[in-house]
């Protein structure tokens, strides 16, 4: 009975140890910590099995084989134990040592020699395996063998005790519970499996083997409660996969059992059940994922999805309040943070101004003083700060500053940096689950913070521009009642404003054009081969860059129109060619959104449809209208229809299946800085100047432009009417 229970415990412990090692390795296959822990669990499991079987197998040959395997594996798994504890919980910085390989070699050579001695039989003699005991005598080499194992074990424990003394908070708890489990198991095994193995019966000897369950319990507690190794995501996948397989297999076996009572077993029945299992597996797996996410893994999120969604949202708005609200809500939803605040850095006062806050109590303060050392060593270098961990390292004013932040509930500080300039900070409170912010969280937040910094900077600049424009309009309105001299002065200010926009736009266009060129070179692999995923990222950069280029072009055109400096180079040109060229450049953007983009030529094909136009500017008209349709169309696509309007004009229709336009917005849609209400709600990027430019350029060509829509959700049609060139 005792032997049966002991065997079951051994099997359970070995499977548990291997499972812990495997999911840890799956989390990070490149980490020395995770690899050494996985190797340790494999070798330790094999060692436990060899210890168990050497006392339960009656065949002397195999019993001796397992006994030698026991002595062979012990130095190896204790060496992996040493390397693991040397690096846990954070990998050691080998730059402090002259040569990383030499350091590992120092500990590996004695372990290899000891393993060879163990399997060769040179460390023991007079081996006698009885029914319930193992008898043997030590040779002189056993002293060397035992010293190697003891050094591996206790040197590893020494590293952990040293770290336990230095660290605090969650990291300290992770180490503490690992240490308790490893220390208790090591002590029990050293007594029963090392010192007393040849003096006690197999029943007592197995106490050492079964003591590994202590290590399993404490290790599992450290992983589950204190989030060691950050393996929650792997646990979720393993949990869902196992349950899905068991559920589908159980369902198939039940159906098979019921049907086999009525129908004889056949290959067709088994094949049918297999196909049924494959069909329902995806749905079962999705169901378990929903259950796991809702009840067991609520703090998990999809990194790529979060980054992509954040990028789209931030790039589609230039309203600072909208950006702040979205960021706070997104960070609270995805990272389950109890509080989030966004601060803007003021270099003059050296304070962080609280721009948005949800959950923190700053005692009514509108700004927080910065710490110079923290700013130089971490914030300016774009290094996120876990407050509790840094408090254990820093001293003086910096530690006091961190303590004050902790009093307010701040757990993590993420710098906001754009264009090598610190814009501000994002501060996050503790997670609702009391989990720590792991490496994946920090990596994700770093990416989000860069996007957020850029969006916030642009929004604040845009807000300042709007304030500037509003102030100018107010001044102009007041000045109309005053003397002509004051009126002329205000006009000069308006011209200065336009000149500023023009100069700023020119300055922007040069780097944007460079980005476009280099992106093209990267995609074409002029600087070396790149992966498919890298191409997709560069493609997204190109699309975002092109939108900026279009915005700059629009700003330049507005400036030129208002100053009367817009120049046109009219020439006879084929309108068909202009449309086709524009559509060719827009196809990538349409394809990226899964939209169709069609050109329908209803004019007589034999006719040469010539117009007197500035090719570049008229292309901007068509391009701007098609770009608008792509932006505000989520499903379906866009048709560009060319037809004659009488004998002297042609008509170009840009028809989409997009969001449509409310009737009250149709009349003022071509006004400067005007956007439809439903479009603003979508948060699609835009400034409301594109259609203004389109109208002015069309009118300069002697044409007219208008729009028609049957209402929201029913698409829109833009019309461009332009005169044919006179023969």
């Amino acid at each position: 009975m005792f032997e049966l229970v002991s065997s079951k415990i051994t099997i359970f412990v070995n499977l548990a140890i291997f499972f812990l090692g495997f999911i840890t390795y799956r989390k990070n296959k490149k980490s020395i910590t995770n690899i050494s822990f996985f190797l340790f669990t494999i070798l330790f499991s094999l060692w436990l099995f060899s210890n168990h079987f050497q006392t339960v197998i009656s065949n002397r040959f195999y019993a001796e084989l397992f006994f030698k395997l026991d002595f062979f594996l012990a130095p190896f798994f204790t060496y992996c134990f040493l390397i693991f504890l040397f690096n846990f919980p954070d990998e050691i910085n080998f730059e402090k040592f002259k040569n990383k390989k030499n350091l590992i070699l120092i500990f590996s050579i004695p372990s290899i020699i000891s393993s060879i001695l163990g399997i060769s039989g040179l460390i023991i003699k007079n081996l006698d395996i009885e029914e319930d005991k193992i008898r043997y005598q030590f040779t002189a080499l056993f002293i060397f063998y035992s010293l190697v194992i003891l050094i591996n074990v206790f040197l590893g424990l020494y590293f952990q005790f040293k770290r336990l003394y230095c660290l605090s908070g969650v990291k300290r708890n992770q180490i503490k519970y690992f240490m308790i489990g490893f220390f208790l198991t090591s002590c029990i095994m050293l007594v029963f499996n090392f010192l007393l193995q040849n003096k006690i019966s197999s029943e007592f000897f197995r106490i050492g083997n079964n003591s590994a369950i202590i290590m399993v319990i404490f290790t599992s507690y450290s992983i589950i409660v204190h989030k060691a190794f950050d393996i929650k995501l792997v646990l979720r996948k393993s949990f869902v996969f196992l349950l899905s397989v068991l559920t589908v297999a159980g369902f198939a076996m039940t159906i098979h059992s019921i049907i086999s009572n009525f129908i004889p077993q056949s290959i067709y029945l088994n094949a049918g059940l297999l196909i049924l299992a494959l069909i329902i597996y995806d749905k079962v797996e999705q169901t378990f994922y929903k259950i796991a996410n809702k009840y067991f893994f609520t703090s998990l999120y999809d990194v790529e999805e979060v980054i992509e969604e954040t990028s789209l949202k931030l790039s589609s708005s230039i309203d600072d309040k909208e950006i702040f609200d979205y960021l706070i809500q997104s960070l609270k939803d995805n990272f389950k943070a109890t509080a989030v605040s966004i601060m803007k850095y003021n270099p003059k006062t050296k304070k962080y101004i609280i721009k948005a806050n949800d959950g923190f109590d700053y005692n009514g303060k509108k700004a927080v003083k910065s710490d110079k050392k923290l700013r130089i060593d971490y914030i300016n270098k774009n290094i996120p700060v876990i407050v509790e961990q840094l408090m254990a390292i820093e001293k003086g004013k910096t530690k006091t500053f961190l303590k004050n932040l902790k009093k307010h509930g701040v757990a993590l500080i993420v710098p906001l940096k754009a264009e090598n300039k610190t814009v501000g900070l994002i501060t996050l409170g503790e997670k609702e689950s009391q989990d720590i912010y792991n490496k994946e969280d920090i990596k994700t937040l770093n990416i989000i913070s860069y996007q957020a910094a850029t969006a916030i900077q642009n929004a604040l600049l845009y807000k300042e521009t709007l304030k500037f424009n509003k102030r100018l309009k107010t001044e102009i309105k007041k000045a109309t009642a005053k003397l002509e001299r004051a009126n002329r002065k205000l006009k000069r200010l308006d011209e200065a404003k336009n000149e500023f926009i023009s100069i700023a736009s020119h300055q922007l266009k040069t780097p944007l054009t460079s980005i476009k060129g280099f992106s093209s070179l990267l995609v074409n692999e002029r600087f070396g081969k790149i992966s498919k995923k890298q191409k997709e990222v560069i493609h997204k950069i190109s699309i975002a860059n092109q939108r900026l280029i279009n915005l700059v072009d629009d700003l330049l055109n507005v400036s030129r129109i208002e100053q009367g400096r817009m120049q046109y180079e009219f020439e006879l040109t084929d309108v068909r060619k202009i449309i086709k060229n524009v559509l060719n450049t827009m196809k990538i953007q349409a394809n990226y959104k899964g939209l169709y983009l069609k050109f329908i030529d209803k004019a007589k094909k034999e006719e040469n449809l010539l117009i007197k136009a500035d090719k570049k500017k008229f292309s901007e008209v068509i391009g701007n209208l098609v770009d608008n349709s792509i932006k505000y169309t989520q499903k379906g696509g866009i048709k560009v229809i060319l037809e004659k309007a009488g004998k002297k004009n042609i008509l170009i229709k840009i028809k989409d299946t997009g969001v449509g336009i409310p009737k009250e917005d149709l009349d003022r849609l071509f006004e400067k800085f005007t956007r439809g209400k439903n479009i603003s709600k979508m948060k699609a990027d835009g400034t409301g100047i594109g259609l203004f430019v389109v109208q002015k350029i069309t009118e300069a060509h002697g044409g007219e432009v208008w729009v028609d829509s049957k209402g929201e959700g029913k698409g829109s049609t833009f019309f461009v009417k332009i005169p044919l060139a006179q023969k």
Side-chain angles (χ1 to χ4, degrees), residues 10 39 56 69 79 119 121 141 238 241 244 273 284 302 337 384 410 513:
T10 300
L39 290 174
V56 298
L69 188 62
Y79 170 69
I119 203 166
L141 290 172
S238 305
F241 175 75
S244 300
L273 287 173
V284 172
D302 189 304
V410 177
T513 305

Side-chain angles (χ1 to χ4, degrees), residues 298-310:
T298 55
S299 61
L300 292 179
Y301 55 90
D302 189 304
V303 175
E304 290 185 4
E305 187 179 311
V306 170
I307 292 171
E308 186 174 356
E309 184 181 345
T310 303

Side-chain angles (χ1 to χ4, degrees), residues 541-666:
I541 292 170
S542 297
I543 290 175
N545 187 66
Q546 186 59 49
R547 286 180 179 173
L548 280 174
I549 289 172
N550 293 341
L551 175 61
V552 169
D553 286 338
D554 285 342
L555 287 170
L556 281 170
N557 285 332
V558 169
S559 176
R560 290 164 184 159
I561 288 167
E562 291 189 340
Q563 294 180 22
R565 294 191 296 108
M566 187 70 118
Q567 295 181 358
Y568 297 88
E569 295 180 6
F570 292 100
E571 59 179 308
L572 287 177
T573 184
D574 189 344
V575 73
R576 284 194 184 94
K577 289 182 180 179
I578 291 177
I579 295 171
K580 288 177 181 178
N581 289 338
V582 170
L583 295 188
N584 284 336
T585 61
M586 305 298 285
K587 273 185 180 177
I588 298 174
Q589 192 177 338
N591 291 340
Y592 182 74
K593 288 190 69 176
L595 305 173
Y596 62 77
L597 182 58
K598 299 178 181 178
F599 175 49
I600 301 171
D601 190 354
K602 289 187 176 180
K604 293 181 180 178
K605 292 185 179 179
E606 64 271 11
E607 285 188 2
N608 193 16
L609 296 179
L610 295 176
I611 60 172
K612 195 173 183 181
D614 183 315
K615 283 184 182 179
K616 184 180 178 183
K617 289 185 173 60
F618 193 75
S619 295
E620 286 177 16
V621 169
I622 306 301
N624 211 322
L625 293 174
V626 174
D627 182 62
N628 264 7
S629 291
I630 292 172
K631 281 181 188 175
Y632 306 122
T633 301
Q634 304 303 321
K635 292 181 180 179
I638 299 95
K639 294 178 183 177
V640 179
I641 304 165
L642 175 65
E643 61 186 41
K644 288 190 72 174
K647 295 182 179 180
K648 296 183 178 181
N649 298 291
I650 58 167
L651 186 65
I652 303 166
K653 299 178 186 177
I654 294 89
K655 188 174 183 179
D656 63 57
T657 58
V659 297
I661 304 167
K663 288 184 179 180
E664 60 268 22
D665 290 337
L666 288 173

